């Protein structure tokens, strides 16, 4: 079966309820990372060969592109970022000794040699923010890749080195894959989906992604439902920091991203709120102020990529070979589960178990009954003859059912017979959840239930047995 159209490409699972311990340097409870976006001179402008003027992230409310015309006011606002805002931020960061990463638009960097020299003198990381600060949502993959390659070439020409990080910003669905395909970036940041870095598989290469932010971002001074004052900005940054710092104190340290723009937070009426936040963060202990490349190198060293055979990416034959025995002697359940819309969420114990259970739950009553009847008696003839499946053998042994006294064997035999005569299927219980005494007690209690109740109970126990088996197959990960 071709399952290409039934695979869900988004990852809604992530690290789940148990994120890895970040182990930031010095035992820091939080990593704080500032990005200064340098876009001025790379925005849409007919002087740059674009079809219209810029309309994004400025002081002009409701700005719209002007096709074929220069927008003098828009150009002037962007120029403020290069002429004044950048230097105000440069003084602030260097005076406080806090490092920064610059997302540098290559064409903007080429038009600002003094600012580039200042970035380098401050030992700021200069990552690539693309060739131009334009929209790529409608670009072909070929044209976007061509711009990427030119951005890298120009970046190296202007700064003397290739960028180690990439962030397009106004990206397409192809951006991350295209950047990863180049195989030169320590990290890519065109994602907003986590508080920690994570790895993706890009063909034969493992690519690190470091999520960015649009909420702790001064762009909200220029967007609807954004910040109207420095006090609002400071309060939001402080609350974010406090939440993450508290989580770090509890043992799950995270990363706080803060996105800045020279023409926005570089204004006098906003920069003091940023300074107040920086003072506040510096006043706390156990804070690691880092560039993004520092975070990338730390994650590469402490949390290297780990590959495993992912259920959602298996062909049907391999999937059924591995998981066809999870439901006793019922490979058809794995076949049906494989045909579902599987994705990254199903590469965990809970996710894979859920997919298999969905196939079981949607089966007819007769099909479910066939699964129940496929299970062996507890400590019955098959066990005595050593004819159980490997899973059933291990499960029964875990509760000591392979070592019974004559009295216990007689009790199990009588109960098995009575239960089967009454309900028409074997007594089923997830023995890994019980000891021998608990199993016998449940046996005696459940045998008196009506058969409809027992059918439902047995189906639930089959699913519980499947959970344990999936856990063993995926290495014991309880997710």
């Amino acid at each position: 079966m071709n399952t290409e159209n039934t695979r869900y490409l988004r990852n809604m699972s992530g690290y789940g309820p148990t994120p890895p311990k970040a182990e930031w340097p010095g035992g820091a409870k939080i990593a704080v990372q500032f990005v200064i976006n340098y876009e001025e001179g790379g925005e849409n402008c007919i002087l740059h060969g674009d079809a219209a003027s810029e309309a994004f992230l400025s002081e002009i409310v409701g700005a719209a592109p002007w096709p074929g015309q220069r927008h003098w006011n828009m150009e002037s606002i962007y120029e403020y970022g290069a002429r004044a805002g950048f230097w105000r931020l440069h003084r602030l960061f260097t005076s406080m000794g806090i490092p920064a990463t610059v997302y540098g638009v290559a064409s903007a960097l080429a038009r600002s040699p003094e600012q580039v020299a200042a970035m380098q003198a401050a030992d700021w990381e200069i990552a690539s923010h693309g060739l131009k600060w334009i929209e790529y949502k409608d670009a072909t993959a070929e044209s976007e890749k061509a711009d990427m390659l030119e951005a890298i070439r120009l970046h190296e020409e202007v700064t003397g080195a290739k960028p180690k990080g990439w962030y397009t910003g106004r990206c397409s669905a192809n951006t991350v894959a295209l950047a990863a395909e180049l195989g030169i970036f320590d990290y890519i940041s065109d994602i907003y989906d986590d508080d920690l870095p994570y790895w993706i598989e890009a063909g034969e290469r493992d690519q690190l992604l470091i999520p960015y932010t649009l909420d702790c971002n001064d762009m909200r001074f220029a967007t609807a439902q954004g910040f109207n004052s420095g006090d609002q900005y400071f309060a939001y940054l402080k609350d974010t920091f406090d939440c993450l710092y508290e989580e770090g104190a509890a043992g799950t340290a995270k990363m706080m991203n803060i996105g800045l723009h020279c023409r926005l937070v570089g204004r006098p009426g906003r920069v003091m709120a940023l300074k107040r936040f920086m003072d506040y963060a510096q006043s706390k202990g156990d804070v690691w102020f880092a560039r993004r490349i520092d975070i990338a190198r730390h994650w590469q060293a402490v949390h290297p990529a780990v590959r495993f055979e992912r259920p959602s990416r298996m062909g049907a034959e391999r999937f059924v070979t591995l998981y066809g025995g999870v439901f006793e002697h019922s490979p058809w359940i794995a076949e049906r589960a494989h045909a579902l819309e599987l994705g990254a969420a199903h590469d965990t114990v809970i996710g894979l178990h859920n997919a298999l259970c969905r196939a079981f739950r949607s089966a007819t009553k007769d099909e479910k009954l066939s699964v129940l009847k496929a299970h062996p008696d507890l400590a019955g003839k098959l066990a005595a003859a050593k004819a159980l499946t490997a899973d059933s053998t291990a499960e029964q042994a875990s509760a000591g059912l392979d070592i019974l006294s004559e009295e216990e064997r007689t009790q199990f035999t009588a109960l098995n017979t009575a239960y089967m005569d009454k309900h028409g299927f074997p007594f089923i219980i997830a023995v890994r959840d019980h000891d021998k005494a608990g199993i016998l007690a449940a046996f005696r209690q459940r045998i008196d239930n009506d058969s409809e109740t027992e059918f439902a109970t047995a189906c639930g126990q089959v699913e519980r047995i499947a959970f344990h088996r999936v856990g063993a197959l995926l290495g014991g990960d309880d997710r």
Side-chain angles (χ1 to χ4, degrees):
M1 178 184 296
N2 185 351
T3 58
E4 185 175 338
N5 295 328
T6 62
R7 292 299 172 259
Y8 193 60
L9 300 181
R10 298 168 65 194
N11 185 341
M12 311 296 281
S13 183
Y15 288 123
T18 54
K21 296 196 179 297
E23 298 183 38
W24 300 133
K29 296 182 177 69
I30 184 174
V32 176
Q33 203 289 299
F34 292 91
V35 166
I36 298 173
N37 291 270
Y38 197 84
E39 301 155 351
E40 290 76 10
E43 79 279 12
N44 283 285
C45 177
I46 64 169
L47 295 180
H48 304 158
D50 300 308
S53 62
E54 185 58 69
F56 192 43
L57 296 188
S58 79
E59 307 295 334
I60 302 174
V61 177
W66 289 8
Q69 295 185 57
R70 292 180 66 185
H71 193 318
W72 191 265
N73 290 347
M74 181 66 72
E75 290 178 21
S76 184
I77 287 170
Y78 268 76
E79 287 160 16
Y80 182 92
R83 294 162 59 104
F86 171 82
W87 297 109
R88 184 167 286 120
L89 292 177
H90 185 268
R91 289 191 295 272
L92 174 61
F93 276 81
T94 54
S95 67
M96 299 190 72
I98 293 179
T101 288
V102 175
Y103 282 166
V105 174
S107 55
L109 297 175
R111 296 179 173 116
S112 300
E114 288 186 320
Q115 289 90 333
V116 170
M119 297 171 194
Q120 293 176 322
D123 197 26
W124 291 353
E125 176 201 2
I126 308 178
S128 183
H129 198 3
L131 178 62
K132 301 171 71 174
W133 177 229
I134 60 175
E135 183 65 73
Y136 281 94
K137 69 180 179 67
D138 297 320
T140 65
E142 292 75 18
S143 64
E144 185 174 0
K145 183 176 181 179
D147 276 6
M148 255 183 209
L149 292 172
E150 176 57 16
I152 295 164
R153 185 204 67 77
L154 183 57
H155 188 106
E156 183 176 18
E157 182 179 279
V158 171
T159 70
K162 285 184 172 65
K164 294 181 171 61
W166 181 271
Y167 174 76
T168 295
R170 296 158 85 170
C171 66
S172 75
N174 299 315
T175 301
V176 171
L178 287 172
E181 180 183 291
L182 295 179
I184 66 170
F185 297 116
D186 281 72
Y187 68 89
I188 298 167
S189 287
D190 276 294
I191 33 95
Y192 311 94
D193 54 4
D194 214 302
D195 298 311
L196 288 172
Y198 63 90
W199 295 92
I200 60 170
E201 295 177 7
E204 298 301 313
R205 184 173 186 271
D206 296 304
Q207 177 64 60
L208 184 65
L209 304 186
I210 302 182
Y212 186 47
T213 178
L214 295 182
D215 69 315
C216 290
N217 194 310
D218 66 357
M219 67 179 286
R220 292 182 61 198
F221 281 113
T223 60
Q225 197 178 356
F227 304 124
N228 291 319
S229 70
D231 288 344
Q232 291 178 345
Y233 181 49
F234 169 75
Y236 193 87
L237 294 182
K238 179 180 178 296
D239 284 348
T240 302
F241 178 93
D242 287 346
C243 174
L244 296 176
Y245 191 83
E246 185 176 301
E247 291 178 8
T252 56
K254 306 287 183 10
M255 172 183 65
M256 180 179 179
N257 294 293
I258 302 162
L260 309 173
H261 297 77
C262 302
R263 65 191 175 278
L264 295 177
V265 81
R267 293 282 177 173
R270 297 171 183 148
V271 76
M272 295 309 292
L274 175 62
K275 183 179 185 303
R276 287 200 300 276
F277 171 73
M278 294 165 79
D279 285 333
Y280 177 76
Q282 278 193 327
S283 73
K284 299 290 186 178
D286 302 325
V287 178
W288 182 37
F289 294 95
R291 303 171 304 174
R292 291 179 92 72
I293 189 61
D294 302 323
I295 291 172
R297 288 168 178 163
H298 172 82
W299 209 261
Q300 290 162 358
V302 178
H303 298 286
V306 177
R307 289 199 173 204
F308 65 96
E309 194 174 12
R310 299 177 183 275
S312 67
R313 298 186 186 179
M314 293 177 186
E317 184 177 354
R318 177 62 174 164
F319 189 92
V320 174
T321 296
L322 287 182
Y323 307 118
V326 169
F327 282 74
E328 194 86 359
H329 295 297
S330 304
W332 57 269
I333 292 177
E335 292 171 359
R336 294 181 188 180
H338 186 265
L340 296 173
E341 184 194 68
L342 302 184
H346 300 98
D347 294 334
T348 66
V349 173
I350 287 177
L352 177 57
H353 177 252
N354 180 262
L356 292 165
C357 286
R358 285 174 59 190
F360 176 61
R361 292 167 189 167
S362 62
T364 66
K365 186 169 184 179
D366 284 345
E367 288 174 324
K368 292 177 183 176
L369 181 60
S370 73
V371 175
L372 301 188
K373 288 182 174 180
H375 278 261
D377 289 336
L378 293 183
K381 294 178 180 178
L382 290 177
K386 300 188 183 301
L388 298 177
T389 64
D391 285 329
S392 290
T393 299
E395 287 157 0
Q396 295 204 21
S398 72
L401 300 187
D402 59 334
I403 307 174
L404 298 177
S405 67
E406 278 303 313
E407 181 182 354
E408 289 170 333
R409 191 173 303 282
T410 299
Q411 291 177 23
F412 272 105
T413 299
L415 288 168
N416 280 326
T417 300
Y419 187 96
M420 176 64 83
D421 288 346
K422 179 174 182 179
H423 299 299
F425 50 85
F427 176 77
I428 300 171
I429 190 169
V431 295
R432 290 192 183 277
D433 294 335
H434 305 275
D435 58 15
K436 193 187 306 180
I439 292 169
L440 278 169
F443 216 150
R444 295 189 181 99
Q445 182 269 316
R446 284 174 48 189
I447 200 170
D448 293 329
N449 289 338
D450 63 85
S451 292
E452 184 175 348
T453 297
E454 264 312 280
F455 184 86
T457 301
C459 286
Q461 289 298 303
V462 164
E463 292 186 9
R464 181 63 182 169
I465 292 167
F467 180 79
H468 287 303
R469 292 181 178 181
V470 171
L473 289 168
L474 285 184
D477 179 357
D478 63 4
R479 285 190 53 223

